[in-house]
Amino acid sequence: MKQAEFFNEMFEDGAVRASYQGLQGWMGDMPAELRSLKQAEAEELFRRIGITFAVYGEGGDPERLMPFDMFPRVFAQEEWRRLERGVVQRAKALNAFLADVYARGEIVRAGLVPRDLVYRNEAYEAAVVGFTPPRGVFSHIVGADLVRTGPDEFFVLEDNCRTPSGVSYMLENREIMMRLFPGLFRENRIAPVDGYSEELRRTLASVAPRKCERDPTIVILSPGAYNSAYYEHSFLANLMGVELVEGQDLFVEGEFVWMRTTEGPQRVDVIYRRIDDAFIDPLCFRPDSMLGVPGLMDVYRSGGVTICSAPGAGVADDKAIYCFVPEMVRFYLGEEPILQNVPTWQCARPDDLKYVLEHLPELVVKEVHGSGGYGMLVGPKSTREQVESFRDRILAKPGNYIAQPTLSLSTCPTFVGEGVAPRHVDLRPYCLVGERVTLVPGGLTRVAMTEGSLVVNSSQGGGVKDTWVLSE
Amino acid sequence: MILTIAHETLYRYDHPMRGVVQTQRLTPARFDGQTVLDWSVEVSGCDGASVLWGGGFRDGAGDWVQGCTVVGPVSAVSVRVTGRIETNDLSGVLRGHRERIPPEAYLRHTPATAPDVALHELAQAAVAETQEPLARAHALAGAVQAAIAYRPGVTEAHTTAAESLALGEGVCQDHAHALIAAGLCVGIPGRYVSGYLQATEDGAPHEAAHAWAELFVPGLGWVGFDASNGVCPDDRYVRLGSGRDAREAAPIRGIARGPGAESLDVTVAVNIAQQ
């Protein structure tokens, strides 16, 4: 049985792991009719609040409901503590890296990260060189994509230092579970996640700009209602009690940024922007951008406003830079990394290329600049012919490819058809970096709803689960 | 040499605008080749429009950047630069200039400096004879000067390096873009510099400010090349600001809010006050 190779988060050697004991009875007691009733209720709730995501290129209405699986994913307190330390450590190292490469570049001078990889990177913004944002923080919300392969084995698949999305699902999934199964929350000691929005507000307020000498005014800058994450933008603005604005609602005058309101202009101190660097200021970046605010970067650099995340933060979450994050942890923090990177072979290096060609049927091979699963080989799931034709492609342009082992993603019980079966899951926690570095006990668990599938992306049929952290 | 500068930019709008936002690089930075003695930038809007200075800062390239907004309605804005500056001939070498951006960051092209096949061929042919970095830079500048004849009026503000090379004609902006693009083809970081040139014998105003390129030469640092005149900047040149292309290095980048169309007049007078 192939299934036995995967770490099952609920059952180990036929016994229920301690963290899931509170769910065993609940699962056993639920008759099929109740289950389908609850499932229908959940979908109705999601539909009513309008939480959808967009899938393009498949025809029909692109707005979909994210499949919601009612079976929670559970972490024991001590499991979470270790994970939390690992995520916080990584978020600190990534921020230290950003502060460094926009200043003296010590890690580059030390020869630990290649100069060209940093300075010739598309995401490296020369326009912010020499500027230190408030508290030295560049990435205020760090989202890490994690997978688990054993009781204590967690790997980081990728970091997201720009504007990680999906936190609204974490909050809504919990809200809906509490409405569907209030009893579960009485019987189990589950750490709350609803403190996230207040912690986010506190984080943003803690990075108010140098020239702000009062309670800072915070806004969320969205590209507008056509953006697929617009629901999340308005949801977070509501929860934090701040204005949701678009570029045309803001303007620069004198040393500050102002928001148009019915009572006249109001000064804005902190902008949580959910638009890309290229679009935030047509005077500095893309001149054709209609989404941004002309002159914003001058105000930012002269200390009149804070932009979160900082322009240029994307250079830390680049695929090529990813390989060096463990090195950053050692270099800046003097610690050993708690979370592991997925071992990555760079086909550009002759030794790595040799290994990759010898082990092709076991590996996942990706294009360096590819995304969305195109131009990718999943060795164990490919035919001999597919592997051989991919071998030719790698040989033709080795520098274009990296390879990683096929990870045995952990599984969590999931409602399927008539019963419950293990399905593969990943995890995205949201780490907040400001005056303090904090992690809400929970995150977004994505689940591959198809049997055997390792792909959890929502665009490919992945669903979501409520993520529990048990209190002591 | 001591030079005096009088540089006026006048924006006119055919309808009053609600407001104007500018980012200015109009104050020369100090380096061993230039020291500012007096300098002032005055902005005024007609119709009693008020002018508000934004915050200023020194950017990673070492240039002084100053934000400025004009609160409308306004139908004309004038930006007047007057100054005295002492210059030394350093044969184009930007010695003693404080900056933070690593040269590798300039190895990315913009739409204006995107290399095409012809630029690649020009660059490869120019540097084929030598491995010495400074000689390669001079060879590139010489090749660009030979390939693009100086001729005003045939190119426009948005003409790219590849387009002006195909035309075989252009002005200082086109020479600078082509030299930067040629440098990129052979892995030499380059950038666009905007500034002033004391060119005419009588110091009479010319219609535009000047521009040239800098190439990064290991051992020397950034070195200026004026392919329009076939020289490296000397004490007749005043360096204002830099960027990857003309747009980024522009002395004034601005956006006016409102429905009107904009017209622009620039006058520059550079005089020798003392040899």
Side-chain angles (χ1 to χ4, degrees), chain B residues 31 90 92-97 99 191 214 220 222-223 239:
Chain B
F31 71 100
L90 299 181
V93 179
L94 191 63
R95 204 172 63 209
H97 181 69
E99 59 182 303
R191 66 185 176 193
E214 284 173 352
L220 280 179
W222 290 101
V223 181
R239 187 183 187 279

Side-chain angles (χ1 to χ4, degrees), chain A residues 58-80:
Chain A
E58 286 182 11
D61 182 1
E63 296 294 317
R64 306 282 168 83
L65 268 185
M66 181 89 84
F68 174 69
D69 179 65
M70 298 184 296
F71 205 110
R73 195 239 190 121
V74 189
F75 288 98
Q77 177 68 209
E78 60 276 15
E79 288 176 323
W80 185 259

Side-chain angles (χ1 to χ4, degrees), chain A residues 101-104 115-116 118-127 129-130 211 251-255 260 282-287 294-295 297-299 301-302, chain B residues 18 20-25 52-61 65-69 71 100-108 247-248 253-255 257:
Chain A
V101 298
Y102 287 111
R104 291 183 48 81
R115 293 185 71 87
D116 281 357
V118 178
Y119 299 132
R120 297 182 69 172
N121 199 297
E122 285 294 324
Y124 186 80
E125 295 292 4
V129 173
K211 291 180 185 171
F251 64 95
V252 167
E253 202 169 282
E255 297 182 47
R260 294 173 220 280
L283 276 187
C284 186
F285 301 113
R286 275 180 65 154
M297 284 299 287
D298 282 0
V299 179
R301 287 214 49 165
S302 55
Chain B
R18 289 198 300 278
V20 174
V21 183
Q22 292 182 342
T23 176
Q24 303 173 347
R25 282 167 175 75
L52 292 170
W53 288 108
F57 62 95
R58 195 161 298 285
D59 71 6
V65 181
Q66 177 67 54
C68 177
T69 48
V71 184
R100 303 293 279 276
I101 299 176
E104 289 89 344
Y106 291 93
L107 286 170
R108 282 151 58 194
R247 189 182 84 89
E248 289 189 2
R253 277 186 241 162
I255 287 184
R257 289 198 312 272

Side-chain angles (χ1 to χ4, degrees), chain A residues 272-291:
Chain A
Y272 175 27
R273 49 86 181 230
R274 297 290 297 252
I275 61 181
D276 292 344
D277 285 3
F279 297 98
I280 58 175
D281 178 357
L283 276 187
C284 186
F285 301 113
R286 275 180 65 154
D288 57 345
S289 170
M290 306 295 282
L291 303 173

Side-chain angles (χ1 to χ4, degrees), chain A residues 90-292:
Chain A
R90 203 163 166 110
K92 284 181 180 169
L94 289 164
N95 269 294
F97 172 75
L98 286 163
D100 184 25
V101 298
Y102 287 111
R104 291 183 48 81
E106 301 288 0
I107 200 165
V108 173
R109 287 162 193 253
L112 296 172
V113 182
R115 293 185 71 87
D116 281 357
L117 222 47
V118 178
Y119 299 132
R120 297 182 69 172
N121 199 297
E122 285 294 324
Y124 186 80
E125 295 292 4
V128 301
V129 173
F131 177 68
T132 307
R135 296 187 191 279
V137 179
F138 281 74
S139 179
H140 308 81
I141 301 123
V142 183
D145 285 344
L146 301 171
V147 295
R148 185 179 197 179
T149 59
D152 296 315
E153 285 84 52
F154 288 90
F155 289 91
V156 180
L157 282 184
E158 63 179 62
D159 304 289
N160 197 324
C161 297
R162 302 172 215 210
T163 52
S165 62
V167 77
S168 54
Y169 287 110
M170 171 184 86
L171 298 168
E172 294 284 27
N173 291 348
R174 174 62 54 85
E175 184 80 31
I176 280 172
M177 278 303 282
M178 290 176 79
R179 283 167 78 164
L180 294 176
F181 303 104
L184 269 184
F185 290 82
R186 283 194 298 271
E187 293 151 19
N188 295 281
R189 294 171 61 88
I190 303 156
V193 292
D194 59 3
Y196 178 81
S197 55
E198 179 51 26
E199 196 57 47
L200 175 60
R201 201 200 58 77
R202 252 202 298 265
T203 299
L204 296 172
S206 78
V207 293
R210 181 165 51 80
K211 291 180 185 171
C212 174
E213 288 155 345
R214 61 214 178 108
D215 195 19
T217 300
I218 301 166
V219 299
I220 296 183
L221 175 60
S222 169
Y226 294 107
N227 185 272
S228 65
Y230 185 73
Y231 170 79
E232 181 160 303
H233 307 162
S234 63
F235 178 79
L236 289 175
N238 267 330
L239 284 181
M240 287 197 288
V242 305
E243 292 296 325
L244 176 67
V245 300
E246 296 175 28
Q248 73 227 25
D249 301 322
L250 302 179
F251 64 95
V252 167
E253 202 169 282
E255 297 182 47
F256 298 103
V257 177
W258 306 81
M259 162 168 61
R260 294 173 220 280
T261 77
T262 47
E263 286 106 51
Q266 186 186 346
R267 207 173 102 188
V268 171
D269 303 295
V270 180
I271 299 176
Y272 175 27
R273 49 86 181 230
R274 297 290 297 252
I275 61 181
D276 292 344
D277 285 3
F279 297 98
I280 58 175
D281 178 357
L283 276 187
C284 186
F285 301 113
R286 275 180 65 154
D288 57 345
S289 170
M290 306 295 282
L291 303 173

Side-chain angles (χ1 to χ4, degrees), chain A residues 80-95 142-146 154-156 159 325 329 333 337-340 427-433 437-440 442:
Chain A
W80 185 259
R81 285 279 163 247
R82 188 171 165 278
L83 201 59
E84 182 182 37
R85 281 201 310 276
V87 171
V88 165
Q89 180 191 56
R90 203 163 166 110
K92 284 181 180 169
L94 289 164
N95 269 294
V142 183
D145 285 344
L146 301 171
F154 288 90
F155 289 91
V156 180
D159 304 289
V325 180
V329 172
L333 309 179
I338 297 166
L339 298 173
Q340 304 171 63
L427 176 70
R428 176 182 277 188
Y430 299 86
C431 186
L432 297 172
V433 187
V437 184
T438 56
L439 191 61
V440 168

Side-chain angles (χ1 to χ4, degrees), chain A residues 236-428:
Chain A
L236 289 175
N238 267 330
L239 284 181
M240 287 197 288
V242 305
E243 292 296 325
L244 176 67
V245 300
E246 296 175 28
Q248 73 227 25
D249 301 322
L250 302 179
F251 64 95
V252 167
E253 202 169 282
E255 297 182 47
F256 298 103
V257 177
W258 306 81
M259 162 168 61
R260 294 173 220 280
T261 77
T262 47
E263 286 106 51
Q266 186 186 346
R267 207 173 102 188
V268 171
D269 303 295
V270 180
I271 299 176
Y272 175 27
R273 49 86 181 230
R274 297 290 297 252
I275 61 181
D276 292 344
D277 285 3
F279 297 98
I280 58 175
D281 178 357
L283 276 187
C284 186
F285 301 113
R286 275 180 65 154
D288 57 345
S289 170
M290 306 295 282
L291 303 173
V293 186
L296 177 62
M297 284 299 287
D298 282 0
V299 179
Y300 174 63
R301 287 214 49 165
S302 55
V305 71
T306 300
I307 305 172
C308 304
S309 59
V315 71
D317 65 23
D318 182 80
K319 255 187 208 167
I321 296 289
Y322 160 85
C323 302
F324 299 93
V325 180
E327 211 50 64
M328 293 175 200
V329 172
R330 294 185 194 101
F331 185 74
Y332 297 114
L333 309 179
E335 299 170 5
E336 271 308 301
I338 297 166
L339 298 173
Q340 304 171 63
N341 258 20
V342 182
T344 303
W345 291 277
Q346 318 253 359
C347 298
R349 299 183 189 153
D351 288 352
D352 286 17
L353 178 64
K354 184 163 174 283
Y355 179 90
V356 170
L357 294 173
E358 281 166 7
H359 297 83
L360 217 42
E362 319 154 16
L363 300 175
V364 174
V365 188
K366 299 173 182 171
E367 280 187 15
V368 175
H369 302 294
S371 67
Y374 300 104
M376 181 171 156
L377 174 80
V378 183
K381 300 217 176 253
S382 304
T383 64
R384 212 192 154 94
E385 289 73 37
Q386 285 169 326
V387 171
E388 289 315 307
S389 91
F390 213 89
R391 183 187 304 277
D392 296 336
R393 288 170 60 184
I394 298 170
L395 281 167
K397 218 172 176 190
N400 242 5
Y401 297 93
I402 56 163
Q404 295 175 332
T406 313
L407 289 179
S408 310
L409 267 59
S410 63
T411 66
C412 176
T414 300
F415 288 114
V416 294
E418 290 308 300
V420 172
R423 289 289 181 268
H424 295 291
V425 290
D426 80 348
L427 176 70
R428 176 182 277 188

